[in-house]
Amino acid sequence: MLTVEGISTYYGNIQALKEVELKVNEGEIVTLIGSNGAGKTTTLLTISGLLKPAQGKVTFLGRTITGVPPHNIVKMGISHVPEGRRIFPLMTLMENLEMGAFGRTDKRAIKEDLDMVFQTFPQLKGREKQMAGTLSGGEQQMLAMGRALMSRPKLLLLDEPSMGLAPMIVKEIFQIIEKINRQGTTILLVEQNAQMALKTAGKGYVLETGKIVLQDNASALLENDDVRKSYLGE
Amino acid sequence: MFIQQLVNGIILGSIYSLIALGYTMVYGIIMLINFAHGEIYMFGAFAGMILVVFYNVPFFLAFLLAMAFAGLVGLTVEYLAYRPLRRSSRLAALISAIGASIFLQNLALLIMGARPYTFPSPFIPKVYQTSFLTISKLELIILAISFLLMFALTFFIQKTKIGKAMRAAAQDMDTASLMGINVNLIISITFLVGSALGAAAGVMVGIYFRTVTPMMGLMPGLKGFVAAVLGGIGRIPGAMLGGLLLGVAEVMAAAYISSQYRDAAAFAILILVLFFKPTGLMGSFMQEKV
């Protein structure tokens, strides 16, 4: 579904990604783990078009999407939940969700998806008119995910959904990720919480200073000595 | 006397509000003080005057055409002078804005010459008088148009899809593009709308003072900027409030202190705001939750 081939991305003169390769098949949950600054977020930003790679290419459903502006990539079916949620704080919860469906005109289907979002995140229900900036961190994460689902993505990119959240809520978020995946959305998950991510995903990649150093089934990575030492704190 | 001054201040202020909106909308979305905005206002006034005086276009049609024309000028300025600098430092864009302002002023001088043009009022002079208030028909029309435009803008920003996208892009441009919003297009629309409002102010000032000159944009441009800062730059209701307050303050200073202090009052307000509440009356820093 998604193929990333040899992408190198720079911030000015600093090379953040060194020929990163990865593949996501339809229906999978794939996770990309690594420490802070390894290039996880950069990888997602390059896929969704906010950053342009100096080399390499990204293909999605058989089409090259490198160089396509982000607002068109969304229309092709990739939705990105950015790091730190990035909800629109001065807009209401409902307006945030409407923005998620910005590129769509099928009013009835949008309504159905709204119902689906409220069903997936019942905490958001009844608070449509609340300013999004006044929601708690967990609720903001849910809103950011709901907003991303409003574009009816085929592939959902999740950047650190557990960041700064209480363990209880992290658990809940990961359950919802599994549920979204069961309902047919492919997921590429970036996480620092390697434990949770590898338990949820089918396949995993390990990123170290801009390079993919390991790739395997998630269950195998959970057993891998290097991974256990470096990322699972054992 | 006081009520009369208050009303005069509100009339002047509603013009400042319209100008301030152009500054604040642009700043809200690309963090740039568009110093060419005063010139856009002047271009609008000229377009209105030329259509009415030289082509006998009916006033309200000329008014709308002037808004459209200035909107296109604003859009072009953004495209040529600001867009290529989108990823550069804010200082570079600011310098480019000053350059655009000087260029447009000189363009007008070149085409129209330095002499002032008369912009005759399209309305039969008529004055309404009560025991405490005198107001002309023209002033009432200016007030009505200004408030109508502000109301229309508020509706546009709050309720329409494009308006919401403008707010989203103003809060977080990258994330807005991840929603499928074409941010460049939204920026163009912002310039179009802000410039059209500036032109509306220019035409109204033109018929109020009956003159149009290539330098007319300078002072109102600065006043509009002060009004935007006073209200909280980037905040649309702030620009409306800031303009009205500035207009009232200026008229009061002229009435009760000395008319020579009119402009000084405006800039004293700017200094005080920057000193004591740099975010402006309605500005605030949004706390980010982690």
Side-chain angles (χ1 to χ4, degrees), chain A residues 48 50 70-71 74-75 80 82 85-86 88-91 95 98-104 133-137 140 147 163-164, chain B residues 87 158 161-165 167-169 171-183 186 235 284 286-290:
Chain A
S48 59
L50 281 172
H71 62 265
V74 185
K75 285 173 192 139
H80 184 163
R85 355 215 183 277
R86 303 279 282 267
F88 302 114
L90 301 173
M91 295 174 90
E95 285 170 339
E98 283 171 30
M99 287 298 102
F102 185 81
R104 297 172 59 185
T134 64
L135 296 171
S136 73
Q140 289 190 9
R147 184 180 64 175
M163 192 168 91
Chain B
R87 301 275 163 195
Q158 290 299 327
K161 198 169 170 180
I162 299 289
K164 287 176 193 175
R167 281 191 284 145
Q171 287 169 49
D172 191 333
M173 206 182 283
D174 280 347
T175 304
S177 71
L178 291 179
M179 302 294 112
I181 296 169
N182 181 344
V183 173
I186 293 295
R235 305 276 292 142
S284 61
M286 195 66 204
Q287 285 279 318
E288 200 181 320
K289 279 204 176 106
V290 182

Side-chain angles (χ1 to χ4, degrees), chain B residues 1-289:
Chain B
M1 167 79 171
F2 178 79
I3 290 176
Q4 178 71 54
Q5 299 304 344
L6 188 67
V7 171
N8 290 349
I10 290 171
I11 294 165
L12 179 67
S14 68
I15 298 275
Y16 288 158
S17 296
L18 288 181
I19 304 170
L21 282 167
Y23 280 105
T24 231
M25 287 169 71
V26 165
Y27 186 87
I29 206 157
I30 58 171
M31 311 289 254
L32 166 77
I33 304 294
N34 177 17
F35 275 117
H37 192 56
E39 276 55 55
I40 303 276
Y41 154 101
M42 175 266 292
F43 266 56
F46 263 107
M49 184 276 293
I50 289 170
L51 287 170
V52 168
V53 174
F54 295 105
Y55 296 97
N56 290 318
V57 177
F59 176 74
F60 281 107
L61 180 62
F63 187 81
L64 292 175
L65 289 174
M67 284 176 73
F69 171 73
L72 292 177
V73 174
L75 199 133
T76 310
V77 168
E78 188 273 325
Y79 190 78
L80 295 177
Y82 307 148
R83 187 167 300 188
L85 298 170
R86 188 72 49 77
R87 301 275 163 195
S88 316
S89 74
R90 283 164 68 184
L91 185 63
L94 193 68
I95 293 167
S96 188
I98 295 169
S101 162
I102 296 169
F103 173 79
L104 290 176
Q105 236 175 58
N106 283 281
L107 186 67
L109 276 169
L110 196 69
I111 298 171
M112 302 306 292
R115 77 177 178 88
Y117 287 79
T118 308
F119 195 162
S121 168
F123 309 108
I124 300 153
K126 196 169 175 191
V127 174
Y128 304 95
Q129 222 159 359
T130 66
S131 54
F132 56 89
L133 185 64
T134 308
I135 190 164
S136 71
K137 184 179 172 190
L138 181 59
E139 288 171 329
L140 281 174
I141 288 172
I142 289 176
L143 265 182
I145 293 178
S146 303
F147 280 90
L148 187 75
L149 286 174
M150 285 191 256
F151 183 78
L153 178 76
T154 307
F155 178 83
F156 174 68
I157 298 284
Q158 290 299 327
K159 299 291 175 200
T160 67
K161 198 169 170 180
I162 299 289
K164 287 176 193 175
M166 284 167 76
R167 281 191 284 145
Q171 287 169 49
D172 191 333
M173 206 182 283
D174 280 347
T175 304
S177 71
L178 291 179
M179 302 294 112
I181 296 169
N182 181 344
V183 173
N184 275 330
L185 184 68
I186 293 295
I187 291 171
S188 292
I189 295 171
T190 305
F191 270 85
L192 187 82
V193 174
S195 300
L197 293 175
V203 173
M204 290 193 287
V205 169
I207 55 169
Y208 192 60
F209 294 111
R210 294 165 194 236
T211 39
V212 175
T213 77
M215 305 307 283
M216 70 182 282
L218 193 66
M219 204 38 108
L222 288 173
K223 299 278 180 65
F225 169 62
V226 172
V229 172
L230 172 61
I233 190 121
R235 305 276 292 142
I236 285 172
M240 296 179 186
L241 178 72
L244 292 174
L245 285 178
L246 183 68
V248 171
E250 231 187 270
V251 169
M252 292 296 174
Y256 293 103
I257 305 171
S258 155
S259 61
Q260 289 178 342
Y261 286 113
R262 181 178 276 269
D263 294 342
F267 298 111
I269 287 176
L270 177 64
I271 292 167
L272 289 175
V273 171
L274 290 177
F275 226 79
F276 294 107
K277 197 166 188 311
T279 52
L281 294 174
M282 298 182 88
S284 61
F285 289 117
M286 195 66 204
Q287 285 279 318
E288 200 181 320
K289 279 204 176 106

